[in-house]
Amino acid sequence: MAGLALAACAVFFHLCLLLLLSSSSSLRLAAGGRGRTAYHFQPAKNWQNDPNGPMYHHGMYHFFYQYNPRGALWDIGNLSWGHSVSGDLVNWAALDTALDPTAPFDANGCWSGSATILPGGLAAILYTGIDANNEQVQNVAFPKNPSDPLLREWEKPAYNPVIAHPADVPGDKFRDPSTAWLGRDGLWRIAVSGEVDGVASTLVYRSKDFLRWERNAAPLHASHAAGMVECPDLFPVAEHGREGLNTSANGAAERHVLKLSVMDTLQDYYMVGRYDDATDTFSPEERERGDDCRNWRRLDYGHVYASKSFFDARKNRRVLWAWANESDSQADDVARGWSGIQTFPRKLWLDKDGKQLLQWPIEEIETLRRKRIGLRRGTKVEAGALLEIAGIASSQADVEVVFKLPSLEEAERLDPIWLLDPQKLCGEKGASVQGGVGPFGLIVLASGDLHEHTAVFFRVFKHHDKYKLLMCTDLTRSSTRAGVYKPPHGGFVDMDIEEHKRISLRTLIDHSVVESFGGGGRTCITARVYPEHAETGNDSHLYVFNNGTDAVKVSRLEAWELATATVNVVGDDGLVAPASGATRQSEA
Ligand code: DQQ
């Protein structure tokens, strides 16, 4: 029967794929190997890093990613573009690599880039090639058969590179073309990172035909002192509301976001501003943060990098992906045969304050929700209390909680020096250090004896006559294993806690990922964790805790166990395989 199904798949591949994708959320596949995730995007095996060229095209989502088909480590000369497709951004089918280093203009690697849907619906990829001389150049690729709904094969025209490496930029510092946007003058624009005279610059290139590109004299942004920036993303956001905008939109009721990834810190930073396509200039909203983008807002205070967004025309929203690297050793990567995951896709929109983004897991995650457990509305969490949320398998879960703060009177005084380093503050004032208002929050992935646990929590400070809200994910007790990076992560939540007197927290738990959204998605922290107890088959526990001197109330808590999504389960024959494929995946 399975053989017949596979034979049918071979003939009606597209149909079969769609069937699998639509029915897959009911499949329960075992997550394989240490820390293997159940609903975060991962290839079946090997190394992945940056998200590349996400797009919605003819009813199908495409996701590409930096991929080493030969092993579990990053390989400077051997990067390809992995390619998967999905009907719902949750369940994914793996296809063959879309781009491999085979031509003189990318002989040493197909590095990051983006996709653009051209008028008429033709999809185009712009990517960085490491050419035969080891110089970074920008290339274009098109689908070999534009009417193939899966866009399985990609052609790299022989006239590449479309942008040679410029004389004033070092050969190894010119990369990562963004999605193109159309200006009102009918010209395409892209942003490319390049170091010009030692300054990390976001260069703009313009083109009439997507083939011949000309560089603007002035960069869109020059980040003095920030080190090399990578993976620029410039996209519009609506001034009001949550709807996303096409990358070429540019009206009066819109703002633009410039996101840059900084190599020095391996962090992503963004600034909201106004982009003028007449002059190709970007004016930041928060000018006081300066041009060194390390002082801009952080996209995530945890362990993510090289994010990329796309406009999802199916649901009129902007969706962002980011790479979350492993944080144990390379030997561990090799042993498990894979490395790197993507954050769960997030919807992005502009906060009412016009300065910060709100990020939230896309609604499709709800298709994975199974068993639900809740806490009675208004449950009081007394000082020193630890309440277990039992009844679901919480190593694969979605938890939403809202804390109500009856009083802020006991808030601790903030030493202004702490404003500079919230991560350090989270380290000094961890979950076990008693405070006034907080620490309160969730304890996740806890072993029965609590020797292992990850705490996601808030703490309120008094600062002059105002309050400051700190959010932390403390990994210091997340694993008893040695050789694992277990920092505290932390950031302030930019909201008026005195006015709201409540704070929401959403945490996605997926074996080795704890992805948290504080204050409705104002502050996000993604952490990678490797609890030993989970590897030996022991249950993980979930708690609400309060280690402040003041009680807090839970005005809402719901937690769902999540089903395993079908993510890149590939048979030896290269076909998308049903449940049995999971075994092969775990053996990889
Ligand atoms: N990763 C790619 C580069 C990019 C970097 C290479 C960012 O194109 O600058 O794998 O992680």
Side-chain angles (χ1 to χ4, degrees):
M1 192 59 199
L4 258 184
L6 283 181
C9 279
V11 181
F12 303 109
F13 183 77
H14 180 217
L15 177 68
C16 181
L17 173 74
L18 288 175
L19 281 175
L20 283 166
L21 290 176
S22 58
S23 64
S24 53
S25 56
S26 62
L27 297 175
R28 179 130 192 120
L29 307 181
R34 187 170 236 159
R36 183 96 196 158
T37 62
Y39 60 91
H40 281 76
F41 183 95
Q42 296 191 255
K45 58 181 183 175
N46 296 330
W47 167 272
Q48 76 162 332
N49 55 297
D50 312 350
N52 289 159
M55 64 174 168
Y56 179 67
H57 183 256
H58 291 166
M60 188 72 82
Y61 292 104
H62 293 256
F63 184 72
F64 305 89
Y65 51 95
Q66 287 286 279
Y67 181 57
N68 175 11
R70 287 171 202 80
L73 301 179
W74 192 75
D75 181 349
I76 190 162
N78 264 324
L79 284 154
S80 293
W81 275 41
H83 183 194
S84 293
V85 289
S86 170
D88 61 3
L89 287 171
V90 173
N91 299 287
W92 292 91
L95 302 178
D96 283 347
T97 48
L99 303 173
D100 294 294
T102 52
F105 48 80
D106 63 14
N108 289 307
C110 299
W111 282 22
S112 285
S114 308
T116 304
I117 314 278
L118 301 178
L122 180 68
I125 283 175
L126 279 164
Y127 71 101
T128 298
I130 313 299
D131 73 10
N133 301 320
N134 270 317
E135 289 197 333
Q136 300 181 354
V137 297
Q138 316 313 325
N139 301 320
V140 72
F142 298 102
K144 193 165 182 184
N145 171 10
S147 46
D148 170 9
L150 301 180
L151 303 179
R152 276 170 290 196
E153 289 182 81
W154 288 77
E155 248 169 9
K156 304 178 289 188
Y159 56 69
N160 274 310
V162 287
I163 307 180
H165 135 260
D168 57 348
V169 175
D172 62 346
K173 292 198 167 74
F174 179 54
R175 55 182 178 270
D176 307 337
S178 70
T179 295
W181 66 95
L182 259 183
R184 278 168 293 188
D185 56 8
L187 299 180
W188 287 106
R189 277 112 167 124
I190 52 169
V192 183
S193 278
E195 193 181 286
V196 183
D197 297 329
V199 178
S201 305
T202 305
L203 308 172
V204 175
Y205 282 80
R206 289 188 295 168
S207 172
K208 228 189 263 173
D209 53 11
F210 227 77
L211 305 180
R212 281 169 294 253
W213 294 89
E214 205 172 299
R215 181 170 137 194
N216 285 359
L220 185 71
H221 180 260
S223 202
H224 294 85
M228 176 71 185
V229 300
E230 306 180 300
C231 304
D233 196 7
L234 180 75
F235 57 88
V237 282
E239 198 178 312
H240 303 291
R242 298 180 175 198
E243 288 215 334
L245 298 168
N246 183 297
T247 308
S248 296
N250 192 5
E254 286 151 26
R255 298 284 182 278
H256 270 74
V257 174
L258 178 61
K259 185 282 305 181
L260 300 170
S261 305
V262 177
M263 244 180 115
D264 273 5
T265 58
L266 289 180
Q267 291 296 338
D268 283 11
Y269 305 85
Y270 72 90
M271 172 67 82
V272 176
R274 287 167 200 262
Y275 163 71
D276 180 356
D277 67 349
T279 50
D280 275 332
T281 48
F282 176 76
S283 318
E285 208 65 41
E286 297 182 277
R287 220 165 262 287
E288 63 281 10
R289 288 180 184 261
D291 64 24
D292 183 342
C293 57
R294 291 172 301 184
N295 297 323
W296 294 3
R297 289 180 186 262
R298 285 264 295 267
L299 194 78
D300 190 298
Y301 287 85
H303 199 58
V304 307
Y305 192 58
S307 61
K308 188 170 295 288
S309 72
F310 78 106
F311 173 62
D312 174 4
R314 179 172 171 227
K315 293 207 168 179
N316 274 333
R317 61 188 171 181
R318 184 150 290 268
V319 175
L320 174 120
W321 298 83
W323 166 43
N325 197 7
E326 302 309 310
S327 47
D328 52 358
S329 69
Q330 289 200 340
D332 291 312
D333 293 344
V334 172
R336 74 185 145 229
W338 58 266
S339 178
I341 62 148
Q342 303 294 334
T343 53
F344 194 78
R346 299 174 182 180
K347 176 171 162 163
L348 292 185
W349 68 96
L350 186 64
D351 188 16
K352 287 201 182 81
D353 69 5
K355 293 177 182 162
Q356 64 184 327
L357 289 173
L358 299 179
Q359 305 178 52
W360 204 241
I362 54 160
E363 62 192 5
E364 286 86 340
I365 197 170
E366 291 170 23
T367 62
L368 297 175
R369 285 178 173 175
R370 295 293 180 270
K371 201 168 166 193
R372 174 190 162 278
I373 186 96
L375 258 194
R376 195 174 40 82
R377 220 187 160 79
T379 299
K380 210 169 184 183
V381 193
E382 298 288 357
L386 183 67
L387 306 183
E388 178 154 15
I389 312 299
I392 60 164
S394 64
S395 54
Q396 212 170 294
D398 180 358
V399 188
E400 292 198 51
V401 52
V402 180
F403 294 99
K404 187 161 185 254
L405 313 183
S407 152
L408 298 180
E409 255 170 45
E410 296 297 321
E412 299 156 80
R413 293 238 153 246
L414 184 84
D415 180 340
I417 195 91
W418 287 337
L419 288 171
L420 299 174
D421 199 343
Q423 172 156 5
K424 189 155 175 248
L425 179 54
C426 288
E428 285 174 17
K429 289 188 172 277
S432 58
V433 180
Q434 199 194 32
V437 184
F440 59 84
L442 298 174
I443 300 271
V444 307
L445 293 174
S447 55
D449 58 7
L450 276 167
H451 272 117
E452 288 188 319
H453 65 262
T454 296
V456 187
F457 61 91
F458 299 104
R459 205 182 256 273
V460 182
F461 292 93
K462 180 121 204 215
H463 181 45
H464 304 306
D465 56 347
K466 293 254 180 264
Y467 292 91
K468 281 273 179 194
L469 178 61
L470 178 74
M471 175 175 166
C472 309
T473 296
D474 187 356
L475 306 188
T476 46
R477 305 277 301 275
S478 59
S479 172
T480 47
R481 225 171 98 199
V484 175
Y485 178 55
K486 291 180 274 193
H489 294 301
F492 289 101
V493 187
D494 188 356
M495 62 179 275
D496 188 344
I497 190 68
E498 192 179 14
E499 185 195 333
H500 290 90
K501 297 264 177 24
R502 55 182 75 221
I503 173 82
S504 72
L505 172 64
R506 177 146 184 211
T507 296
L508 307 182
I509 308 161
D510 191 2
H511 301 272
S512 62
V513 196
V514 179
E515 207 178 336
S516 299
F517 303 81
R522 288 174 173 86
T523 299
C524 304
I525 304 181
T526 301
R528 299 302 310 277
V529 291
Y530 305 91
E532 280 290 80
H533 70 271
E535 296 305 326
T536 50
N538 290 321
D539 285 350
S540 286
H541 298 259
L542 171 69
Y543 301 90
V544 170
F545 81 99
N546 177 18
N547 201 13
T549 47
D550 256 3
V552 296
K553 280 188 178 165
V554 172
S555 48
R556 173 182 171 220
L557 185 146
E558 288 181 284
W560 291 265
E561 191 173 314
L562 295 186
T564 299
T566 301
V567 181
N568 296 323
V569 179
V570 181
D572 296 337
D573 39 20
L575 290 172
V576 179
S580 59
T583 320
R584 286 192 286 251
Q585 181 178 335
S586 64
E587 284 164 359

